[in-house]
Amino acid sequence: MYKNAATRVAVLGASGYVGRELVGLLDGHADVALAFATSESESRLDGRDLIPLADAEGRWDDARLVFSCLPHGVSAPAVGRAEAAGARVVDLSADLRLSDRAVYGLTEVYRDALPEADLVANPGCYPTVAVLSVLPLARAGVIDTTRPLIIDAASGVSGAGRNPRRDLLFGEVAEDFRAYSAGNEHRHLPEITRQLAAVAGAVDVVFTPHLLPVRRGILATMHVPLARELTRVEAEAILLEAYGDEPCIRVLPGALPTLKDVIYRNRLALGVMPVKHVSRPMLTVVGAIDNLVKGAAGQAVQNMNVMCGFPETRGLAC
Amino acid sequence: MYKNAATRVAVLGASGYVGRELVGLLDGHADVALAFATSESESRLDGRDLIPLADAEGRWDDARLVFSCLPHGVSAPAVGRAEAAGARVVDLSADLRLSDRAVYGLTEVYRDALPEADLVANPGCYPTVAVLSVLPLARAGVIDTTRPLIIDAASGVSGAGRNPRRDLLFGEVAEDFRAYSAGNEHRHLPEITRQLAAVAGAVDVVFTPHLLPVRRGILATMHVPLARELTRVEAEAILLEAYGDEPCIRVLPGALPTLKDVIYRNRLALGVMPVKHVSRPMLTVVGAIDNLVKGAAGQAVQNMNVMCGFPETRGLAC
Amino acid sequence: MYKNAATRVAVLGASGYVGRELVGLLDGHADVALAFATSESESRLDGRDLIPLADAEGRWDDARLVFSCLPHGVSAPAVGRAEAAGARVVDLSADLRLSDRAVYGLTEVYRDALPEADLVANPGCYPTVAVLSVLPLARAGVIDTTRPLIIDAASGVSGAGRNPRRDLLFGEVAEDFRAYSAGNEHRHLPEITRQLAAVAGAVDVVFTPHLLPVRRGILATMHVPLARELTRVEAEAILLEAYGDEPCIRVLPGALPTLKDVIYRNRLALGVMPVKHVSRPMLTVVGAIDNLVKGAAGQAVQNMNVMCGFPETRGLAC
Amino acid sequence: MYKNAATRVAVLGASGYVGRELVGLLDGHADVALAFATSESESRLDGRDLIPLADAEGRWDDARLVFSCLPHGVSAPAVGRAEAAGARVVDLSADLRLSDRAVYGLTEVYRDALPEADLVANPGCYPTVAVLSVLPLARAGVIDTTRPLIIDAASGVSGAGRNPRRDLLFGEVAEDFRAYSAGNEHRHLPEITRQLAAVAGAVDVVFTPHLLPVRRGILATMHVPLARELTRVEAEAILLEAYGDEPCIRVLPGALPTLKDVIYRNRLALGVMPVKHVSRPMLTVVGAIDNLVKGAAGQAVQNMNVMCGFPETRGLAC
């Protein structure tokens, strides 16, 4: 496509599912050009050369902003070298999400801090959907924080990466469904509780992810204990008040979202339903995102757009 | 296959997913022969003639036991006519599940009542997995009934039947996932609460079903509030104590079940995991069944076996 | 998105799979604005009002170009009314594809006729992949037209539309695969033979479509009888000579395409392999397109771009 | 299940898709008991211990008949040791299929040789469907052997085994479809041509397999050049004459089979359609099997049944 006077960017770890999605989004972005992209396992991606990470060392100067899609643990050192070379960084790994050194890149929440940020920790996919879905209710003070918040979420296989594993073979995943990291053992839990605590104070969370036989998308069904009864319209009004002007969040009045509402889009879709026949008030909230887009590469581009002063949805289908 | 001196049985509503599964199971059952099967929409099923329900009227005499897979509302009157003609009945519809007139055919729970029963209401698929999974904990008195039991369950499409509907087209369901009847609006909820109440007293249940892009199988993730802490081994011991000798229930020590463990089998598979990082004790229980087998046709055959004095698993892969 | 001074267009039949794809593409197209869109079955599409076709009658003036995604048989009369009102038309139905009244919109073949065309018959999905894949070989004179050309093609379910049909339910299509219209009974066959005959003379074609358990995409495996032996490199050279500069066609040297290479793109991907161990020379050609994009809505936009003098790939990911 | 006085059998390589299917079938077989089963990668299978192949050495005495599901190349030596120890062998690998030392276990063709056989080479999945589908036409002398027989076949992923490979991940296979080993490069081709040559003389075959996004099942679309025109009924009569009494083959009059007709069954389903609009007569034949059952483990049990004098379909759903 025709490019404006372009900001040069780099992608570290371009051959995984997130990296490929990100390179595709950057290709269609009018204000940036890809300086280089790295991969340890592949040398070509859709007609473009990939270089080993080691070869990036001489080329940091060529990139104003570096995206790291490297694996957890591998990312932080590379991010450090990019920073040392003067590049701004969006780190899509988990390495810096619990650190105070980086701005937590949940765009709708930390938008004001992004223009000055040199280091952004892009949120995990589950925390993105969970925190954004519940935050307006927490801010409105309607959550009963003495009872646990239950989050049952299901993700497509791209969340587990592209490395060969028997349990991710088509023959194992198709026609199957399973819970994993049950009992609050998933590493995304601290990210969720930390973000909620900042707004609502400490709250018990029970977070159980599941593996879906789909390629992409996360649907989270959240059961929120309420401090007082809310009608469906009242609950929707709280979400609409918070998100009515957000270009990447859709509150669906009178409906619950499905994966189809969000896949291939940088969008969170949200719906609510009060729970009948229970003695203390509860609200079921359902949120859906594409784990590769709003849950990873798309939100990274959204963050870059705010960091660099581009229109926030440039290059994104929301 | 070679048949023993056979009991003659009939199937009403044989062309839906449940009816077809049932006819297949009866074909492979050594002690029964199919007298006739009815369908309004199809006249042949795998080489066998199907007759309209109206034509069954002259043929009740030919069947000692009648299975009804008719739609809810249509089933009860047909069941009445079969009873009047002297047949014993297993009704797979929801019509009689909340009635005291029929034995509730959760085999492992009501086994003793089945040999004398002339009318059995076969349980719904969701109640089968939910009630059997939680019952031993309720009986052991370890559930805190002042807090709600959360059940997030996901079912394959066969649970929704074979009638043409746009929202069940392959193009709509594949790569999608959605909640439905959220907020405790599903008609299976009273079946679940009624059965639990009989054992544990009244307990709040929050039941949210989801539609999975698979053909068959239900996985239920249940978050059970506990009256006291239980280790994984202690919780498993309660389940093993209850179900260790059950031929159609597998407790998986140290593991959680997936759909693959149960599809095409008359089996409930069960696993548990205590929840960490919460202030009051909770246990996550995961149960899986094949909705067409243990959740419908298989359990109906299991009930028939007990009713008629056949070996309980005759004709069933457990 | 920001729109240039926009040409106003209309879409008839916007709620089917092709219509929705087309509306999505037009939304992202910088040079056009959607004047109106019609549907008989739905009144809203992703936040936009749809009107009944009857209500289009007073509004033809508002559209410079009309796309018809109406069903076969219903389309031709509506196209006539749009033409009478002075609009240029791209008809995505089969109604006019065998007529001399319309330009056949296989863009790469009839590009020169499009700028002057007022009526374009957009090709069928199977003919698009079959004709474009074989045409360069026909033009190069390397096909032995005394032997039949075998085309075994497989399509995702979106090719069969969105109307409720039992045989298209998820429960019927998932884990299944089937041939249909075998024995040269598919209505796309005359479109294929007519186009090939124009270049190569009469040639026997054996065309067998299949239904794949995927949502979108067509893969065609074609066995081409050759007049003389060709190495893989020689055959690729013929295709590259024809298509090397085409923005929407990718010839893959030394590889065969899969659906993943083309879905969500306005792209034909092509590869070849000479057949060993046969007494007379044959070449297997594999072509892949997204049936909803290059096989329908995307090619319609490509045609519009050429008709209106826009850059040919404007609004398209190729 | 209750077992008759049982013949003891062993399974080598029990943890792959074929081995697991075979163990399941043997578990449900009234006349055999599993002496032992081996695996190099897993130590348990559905509650049963698996032993390393090396540990089988001291136990051959315990098995009257040994099934080998070992990988190609690894199987032949193990088969030799089992034979040396006095066991009869059914080898499911490709190692002995082109050898004259073993009976080729296409049951319907070589049934008479099986009772005396000590070594049976179980056919490949593609040859099973291709050869059985075409053989009656070859025997009837209606095939024009001067023109090529075209076989386009598509298989579910279980045909490729259970070892981790990136190209078999769910994220790669779902929503995809691809040809592989095109140009007659598949190792099953010699098995097909050897069997056809024995009946019809040399004939050119063009065999192109494809990978389907399903777990099990093969559908083969075969275009057969005819020596004279045949109506559909005439062609069906040839197949019915050959197979009308076969318990594991279904000829579908007036219809073509789909995967659903055969999965989880030891069945070949067959249908035909004459090709219109071609200058020389052709017949399209479509055959379907479950690659794991009639294409592997089921046919192995069928062979064992004939070898041992059990009823031919004992333990099999046909």
Side-chain angles (χ1 to χ4, degrees), chain C residues 109-110 134-140 193-201:
Chain C
V109 180
Y110 297 99
V134 171
L135 212 63
L137 300 165
R139 284 188 170 143
T193 51
R194 176 184 162 108
Q195 293 298 322
L196 293 180
V199 171

Side-chain angles (χ1 to χ4, degrees), chain C residues 152 172 175-178 182-185 204 208 210 212 215 221 223 258-260 273-276 279, chain D residues 152 172 175-178 182-185 204 208 210 212 215 221 223 258-260 273-276 279:
Chain C
D152 280 311
E172 304 293 308
E175 295 287 310
D176 200 18
F177 183 59
R178 57 178 112 141
N184 271 344
E185 301 219 334
D204 276 358
T208 313
H210 298 70
L212 272 178
R215 295 195 306 165
T221 298
H223 306 290
T258 84
L259 294 189
K260 268 190 326 215
M273 180 67 89
V275 180
K276 293 183 179 138
S279 47
Chain D
D152 279 310
E172 305 294 307
E175 296 286 310
D176 200 17
F177 183 59
R178 59 178 109 142
N184 271 343
E185 301 219 334
D204 276 359
T208 314
H210 298 71
L212 272 177
R215 295 194 306 165
T221 298
H223 305 290
T258 82
L259 293 189
K260 269 189 326 216
M273 179 67 89
V275 181
K276 292 184 179 140
S279 47

Side-chain angles (χ1 to χ4, degrees), chain D residues 4-67:
Chain D
N4 305 335
T7 297
R8 293 180 68 79
V9 301
V11 174
L12 312 182
S15 59
Y17 287 124
V18 169
R20 289 148 74 105
E21 191 78 17
L22 181 57
V23 168
L25 291 173
L26 295 172
D27 273 346
H29 194 293
D31 297 309
V32 303
L34 193 59
F36 62 89
T38 80
S39 169
E40 306 313 293
S41 64
E42 302 187 19
S43 59
R44 299 279 295 171
L45 174 62
D46 209 28
R48 174 199 318 280
D49 286 325
L50 303 177
I51 61 173
L53 178 58
D55 291 3
E57 294 307 323
R59 303 185 57 172
W60 297 121
D61 281 356
D62 194 21
R64 283 282 299 128
L65 192 145
V66 171
F67 295 94

Side-chain angles (χ1 to χ4, degrees), chain C residues 145-202:
Chain C
T145 57
T146 69
R147 291 185 283 151
L149 166 64
I150 310 288
I151 305 174
D152 280 311
S155 171
V157 294
S158 52
R162 252 186 110 218
N163 286 325
R165 278 169 45 184
R166 173 169 289 178
D167 64 332
L168 296 179
L169 290 176
F170 185 92
E172 304 293 308
V173 173
E175 295 287 310
D176 200 18
F177 183 59
R178 57 178 112 141
Y180 64 98
S181 302
N184 271 344
E185 301 219 334
H186 197 277
R187 65 166 181 224
H188 279 172
L189 178 67
E191 226 182 301
I192 297 171
T193 51
R194 176 184 162 108
Q195 293 298 322
L196 293 180
V199 171

Side-chain angles (χ1 to χ4, degrees), chain B residues 11 28 30 54 102 113 119 145 157 167 170 192 199 209 212 229 248 257 263 280:
Chain B
V11 175
L119 178 59
T145 57
V157 294
D167 64 332
F170 185 92
I192 297 171
V199 171
L212 273 177
E229 295 281 356
C248 300
I263 56 174
R280 302 179 66 186

Side-chain angles (χ1 to χ4, degrees), chain B residues 74-94:
Chain B
V74 177
S75 188
V79 164
R81 292 195 297 277
E83 283 185 287
R88 300 173 87 187
V89 176
V90 177
D91 181 13
L92 289 83
S93 84

